Amino acid sequence: MREHTDVLCPNIRSRLNKRSDYASANCVAAWSGERIYQINCFSGEQVTVDLASHTCTCRKWDLTGFPCAHAIAAIEFNHENVDEYVAHWFTKQTYMASYEPIIYPMNGADMWPNTGVIGPLPPNVKKQAGRPKKLRKRGLDEPETGTKLKRRNTTTTCAQCGMLGHNKRTCKGQPVTQKQGTTREKLPVRKKKSTATRVQANQPLGPLGPMPANQT
């Protein structure tokens, strides 16, 4: 850092160059009067910059002391140096002054003097009634977790009475009688061929029927 010749710190200079490039490509300044400017951005954003009080209606310059892209557009429109509008705590001089005093080293915890005072104890834990919860309460803006999907925008149909809004377990109505002609006829079950039949079918046929296995 001592060999750095710029007024601002290297990281601050890099951030300032990026904001300057963004302001040149996306922001257009218009002088309103005195040192007040109106900034119109291609994204549709419109803000007001006051160079005299170092403020912008986006509040970034006010909170950080670092000129925002809107302020840089107004400063460059006025043909001024942007470095003069950066807060002094971003300069190299302030950085070097903060590390100028000696930072004295400190011994480890095993060499600290013993005061004889008992350390703080954890609070007494009282067991609450009921089963303890394993999951914490999530905020309204946090996504839900779990493998089960909730049934939303669906209606349950009862299999006993055919009504909507409940299921068979909570049904209190009469079961629906099956209408005539709605039963489906059962198809005949195909019987499997026995092992002897399959073996006999695989044997070669002779003039009088299947030949024995030892004569093939």
Side-chain angles (χ1 to χ4, degrees):
M1 181 60 74
R2 295 181 183 275
E3 299 177 356
H4 186 64
T5 58
D6 196 356
V7 178
L8 302 177
C9 296
N11 187 23
I12 301 302
R13 174 61 65 186
S14 177
R15 291 172 54 189
L16 190 64
N17 292 337
K18 290 181 179 179
R19 288 194 177 182
S20 180
D21 295 340
Y22 178 84
S24 301
N26 298 277
C27 300
V28 178
W31 180 63
S32 299
E34 297 182 353
R35 296 180 62 81
I36 300 176
Y37 296 84
Q38 177 178 313
I39 310 300
N40 297 320
C41 300
F42 294 145
S43 60
E45 187 180 13
Q46 180 175 328
V47 296
T48 303
V49 175
D50 188 355
L51 297 182
S53 59
H54 292 200
T55 57
C56 178
T57 52
C58 74
R59 300 283 295 167
K60 291 182 180 179
W61 193 11
D62 310 17
L63 297 175
T64 62
F66 192 78
C68 58
H70 314 120
I72 294 176
I75 295 169
E76 293 179 348
F77 179 83
N78 204 29
H79 302 287
E80 296 186 50
N81 188 7
V82 182
D83 297 353
E84 298 177 358
Y85 290 88
V86 180
H88 66 88
W89 51 79
F90 293 118
T91 60
K92 173 189 173 182
Q93 182 180 1
T94 305
Y95 180 86
M96 298 298 295
S98 61
Y99 288 95
E100 184 178 0
I102 299 176
I103 301 177
Y104 290 95
M106 185 175 61
N107 296 326
D110 55 339
M111 301 183 66
W112 293 353
N114 189 4
T115 59
V117 180
I118 300 176
L121 300 177
N124 297 328
V125 179
K126 183 179 179 181
K127 187 176 180 180
Q128 302 294 332
R131 180 180 297 179
K133 295 182 179 180
K134 296 183 179 180
L135 300 178
R136 64 178 179 85
K137 293 183 179 180
R138 295 185 172 271
L140 298 177
D141 56 340
E142 290 185 293
E144 298 180 358
T145 58
T147 56
K148 292 185 178 181
L149 298 177
K150 293 186 177 181
R151 295 183 178 180
R152 295 179 179 177
N153 301 327
T154 57
T155 305
T156 305
T157 304
C158 180
Q160 182 172 348
C161 66
M163 301 298 291
L164 302 178
H166 63 277
N167 54 17
K168 182 179 180 180
R169 185 177 58 181
T170 59
C171 180
K172 298 181 181 179
Q174 298 295 331
V176 178
T177 57
Q178 194 172 14
K179 296 181 180 180
Q180 296 181 358
T182 58
T183 58
R184 298 179 59 183
E185 297 181 357
K186 295 184 178 180
L187 298 176
V189 180
R190 297 180 61 183
K191 296 183 179 180
K192 296 182 179 180
K193 295 182 179 180
S194 61
T195 306
T197 306
R198 290 198 300 269
V199 172
Q200 185 177 3
N202 294 331
Q203 293 180 357
L205 297 177
L208 299 178
M211 297 178 61
N214 55 3
Q215 296 183 6
T216 57

PDB file of all heavy atoms in Angstrom, residues 129-137:
ATOM      1  N   ALA A 129     -44.253 -29.387  28.212  1.00  0.00           N
ATOM      2  CA  ALA A 129     -45.211 -30.468  28.013  1.00  0.00           C
ATOM      3  C   ALA A 129     -45.361 -30.770  26.530  1.00  0.00           C
ATOM      4  O   ALA A 129     -45.279 -29.880  25.686  1.00  0.00           O
ATOM      5  CB  ALA A 129     -46.566 -30.083  28.610  1.00  0.00           C
ATOM      6  N   GLY A 130     -45.593 -32.031  26.230  1.00  0.00           N
ATOM      7  CA  GLY A 130     -45.807 -32.430  24.843  1.00  0.00           C
ATOM      8  C   GLY A 130     -44.525 -32.890  24.172  1.00  0.00           C
ATOM      9  O   GLY A 130     -43.428 -32.849  24.743  1.00  0.00           O
ATOM     10  N   ARG A 131     -44.681 -33.345  22.961  1.00  0.00           N
ATOM     11  CA  ARG A 131     -43.540 -33.831  22.190  1.00  0.00           C
ATOM     12  C   ARG A 131     -42.712 -32.648  21.692  1.00  0.00           C
ATOM     13  O   ARG A 131     -43.260 -31.688  21.149  1.00  0.00           O
ATOM     14  CB  ARG A 131     -44.027 -34.657  21.000  1.00  0.00           C
ATOM     15  CG  ARG A 131     -42.902 -35.212  20.133  1.00  0.00           C
ATOM     16  CD  ARG A 131     -43.452 -36.016  18.987  1.00  0.00           C
ATOM     17  NE  ARG A 131     -44.179 -37.191  19.451  1.00  0.00           N
ATOM     18  CZ  ARG A 131     -44.774 -38.058  18.637  1.00  0.00           C
ATOM     19  NH1 ARG A 131     -44.753 -37.852  17.322  1.00  0.00           N
ATOM     20  NH2 ARG A 131     -45.405 -39.092  19.127  1.00  0.00           N
ATOM     21  N   PRO A 132     -41.404 -32.695  21.864  1.00  0.00           N
ATOM     22  CA  PRO A 132     -40.585 -31.562  21.401  1.00  0.00           C
ATOM     23  C   PRO A 132     -40.559 -31.485  19.880  1.00  0.00           C
ATOM     24  O   PRO A 132     -40.566 -32.502  19.184  1.00  0.00           O
ATOM     25  CB  PRO A 132     -39.199 -31.872  21.976  1.00  0.00           C
ATOM     26  CG  PRO A 132     -39.188 -33.349  22.178  1.00  0.00           C
ATOM     27  CD  PRO A 132     -40.594 -33.730  22.530  1.00  0.00           C
ATOM     28  N   LYS A 133     -40.518 -30.270  19.382  1.00  0.00           N
ATOM     29  CA  LYS A 133     -40.486 -30.059  17.941  1.00  0.00           C
ATOM     30  C   LYS A 133     -39.061 -30.202  17.429  1.00  0.00           C
ATOM     31  O   LYS A 133     -38.109 -29.761  18.070  1.00  0.00           O
ATOM     32  CB  LYS A 133     -41.025 -28.671  17.597  1.00  0.00           C
ATOM     33  CG  LYS A 133     -42.496 -28.496  17.950  1.00  0.00           C
ATOM     34  CD  LYS A 133     -42.987 -27.118  17.543  1.00  0.00           C
ATOM     35  CE  LYS A 133     -44.461 -26.954  17.872  1.00  0.00           C
ATOM     36  NZ  LYS A 133     -44.977 -25.612  17.485  1.00  0.00           N
ATOM     37  N   LYS A 134     -38.936 -30.826  16.265  1.00  0.00           N
ATOM     38  CA  LYS A 134     -37.629 -31.020  15.653  1.00  0.00           C
ATOM     39  C   LYS A 134     -37.301 -29.941  14.629  1.00  0.00           C
ATOM     40  O   LYS A 134     -36.134 -29.701  14.346  1.00  0.00           O
ATOM     41  CB  LYS A 134     -37.567 -32.395  14.977  1.00  0.00           C
ATOM     42  CG  LYS A 134     -37.697 -33.553  15.948  1.00  0.00           C
ATOM     43  CD  LYS A 134     -37.563 -34.884  15.230  1.00  0.00           C
ATOM     44  CE  LYS A 134     -37.657 -36.042  16.207  1.00  0.00           C
ATOM     45  NZ  LYS A 134     -37.530 -37.357  15.520  1.00  0.00           N
ATOM     46  N   LEU A 135     -38.322 -29.329  14.058  1.00  0.00           N
ATOM     47  CA  LEU A 135     -38.106 -28.309  13.045  1.00  0.00           C
ATOM     48  C   LEU A 135     -38.411 -26.940  13.626  1.00  0.00           C
ATOM     49  O   LEU A 135     -39.331 -26.781  14.432  1.00  0.00           O
ATOM     50  CB  LEU A 135     -38.998 -28.559  11.822  1.00  0.00           C
ATOM     51  CG  LEU A 135     -38.793 -29.897  11.104  1.00  0.00           C
ATOM     52  CD1 LEU A 135     -39.780 -30.016   9.949  1.00  0.00           C
ATOM     53  CD2 LEU A 135     -37.368 -30.035  10.598  1.00  0.00           C
ATOM     54  N   ARG A 136     -37.640 -25.967  13.227  1.00  0.00           N
ATOM     55  CA  ARG A 136     -37.860 -24.607  13.700  1.00  0.00           C
ATOM     56  C   ARG A 136     -39.003 -23.954  12.927  1.00  0.00           C
ATOM     57  O   ARG A 136     -39.382 -24.403  11.848  1.00  0.00           O
ATOM     58  CB  ARG A 136     -36.590 -23.774  13.525  1.00  0.00           C
ATOM     59  CG  ARG A 136     -36.166 -23.592  12.085  1.00  0.00           C
ATOM     60  CD  ARG A 136     -34.931 -22.715  11.989  1.00  0.00           C
ATOM     61  NE  ARG A 136     -34.491 -22.558  10.615  1.00  0.00           N
ATOM     62  CZ  ARG A 136     -34.968 -21.652   9.779  1.00  0.00           C
ATOM     63  NH1 ARG A 136     -35.916 -20.817  10.176  1.00  0.00           N
ATOM     64  NH2 ARG A 136     -34.505 -21.567   8.545  1.00  0.00           N
ATOM     65  N   LYS A 137     -39.529 -22.899  13.486  1.00  0.00           N
ATOM     66  CA  LYS A 137     -40.597 -22.166  12.819  1.00  0.00           C
ATOM     67  C   LYS A 137     -40.002 -21.319  11.701  1.00  0.00           C
ATOM     68  O   LYS A 137     -39.097 -20.524  11.932  1.00  0.00           O
ATOM     69  CB  LYS A 137     -41.332 -21.273  13.819  1.00  0.00           C
ATOM     70  CG  LYS A 137     -42.111 -22.041  14.864  1.00  0.00           C
ATOM     71  CD  LYS A 137     -42.875 -21.100  15.774  1.00  0.00           C
ATOM     72  CE  LYS A 137     -43.684 -21.866  16.809  1.00  0.00           C
ATOM     73  NZ  LYS A 137     -44.438 -20.945  17.708  1.00  0.00           N
TER      74      LYS A 137
END
